Amino acid sequence: MEVNVNEYFEKRVSEAKRQFERTVDCKHTEFDDLYPYMTEQPQFFWYKRYVAWQELLTVVKIAEDMDVEWKSLFLDKQSSFVEGRVLDAKVLDDWYEESEKHEKESSKNE
């Protein structure tokens, strides 16, 4: 079975992005299942975000090494954050565009 490298890495980047976004939104991830006893600890949510961020950076780095285009999977601001590599409050606060933030907030209220 022949695997298309571009398709594979696009899928992996998309999955890592989705996992990171779930941590930004404080939703359940695979990581919660690995450490169920930690979910009661407030610092666990920060740790979970850092782990998801590192996974995203790692997959993007490998995609770059394989000459796979990954930026099209992100908003311009998001790809800039990934290229900056530092997870800080600005990344968490500004990950989504304003219109996306309003859509997410309205869907949370439903």
Side-chain angles (χ1 to χ4, degrees):
M1 175 172 97
E2 190 174 317
V3 177
N4 181 314
V5 173
N6 285 351
E7 287 178 17
Y8 172 77
F9 278 106
E10 284 177 12
K11 181 181 177 195
R12 295 293 304 162
V13 170
S14 290
E15 289 171 355
K17 179 183 181 225
R18 186 180 70 247
Q19 188 85 324
F20 174 69
E21 287 176 345
R22 290 187 64 79
T23 69
V24 171
D25 297 337
C26 297
K27 293 184 177 177
H28 186 86
T29 67
E30 298 171 357
F31 199 72
D32 294 286
D33 297 334
L34 293 173
Y35 302 100
Y37 56 90
M38 290 291 293
T39 58
E40 301 299 317
Q41 304 296 323
Q43 69 271 22
F44 177 73
F45 295 100
W46 279 101
Y47 184 68
K48 184 169 85 165
R49 287 176 181 152
Y50 284 112
V51 170
W53 180 247
Q54 186 58 49
E55 178 183 2
L56 177 60
L57 295 179
T58 300
V59 174
V60 164
K61 176 68 174 135
I62 295 169
E64 286 176 342
D65 290 347
M66 302 296 289
D67 291 323
V68 174
E69 165 52 41
W70 58 271
K71 291 182 184 180
S72 62
L73 303 171
F74 295 82
L75 301 170
D76 289 340
K77 185 187 294 185
Q78 293 171 339
S79 60
S80 295
F81 290 146
V82 172
E83 290 175 320
R85 303 189 60 82
V86 176
L87 179 61
D88 59 17
K90 182 169 178 45
V91 173
L92 297 173
D93 292 343
D94 297 341
W95 183 255
Y96 299 109
E97 293 291 333
E98 285 303 315
S99 60
E100 284 185 312
K101 283 182 185 176
H102 295 305
E103 288 173 21
K104 284 192 172 290
E105 288 171 5
S106 65
S107 67
K108 282 182 187 176
N109 295 332
E110 292 176 357

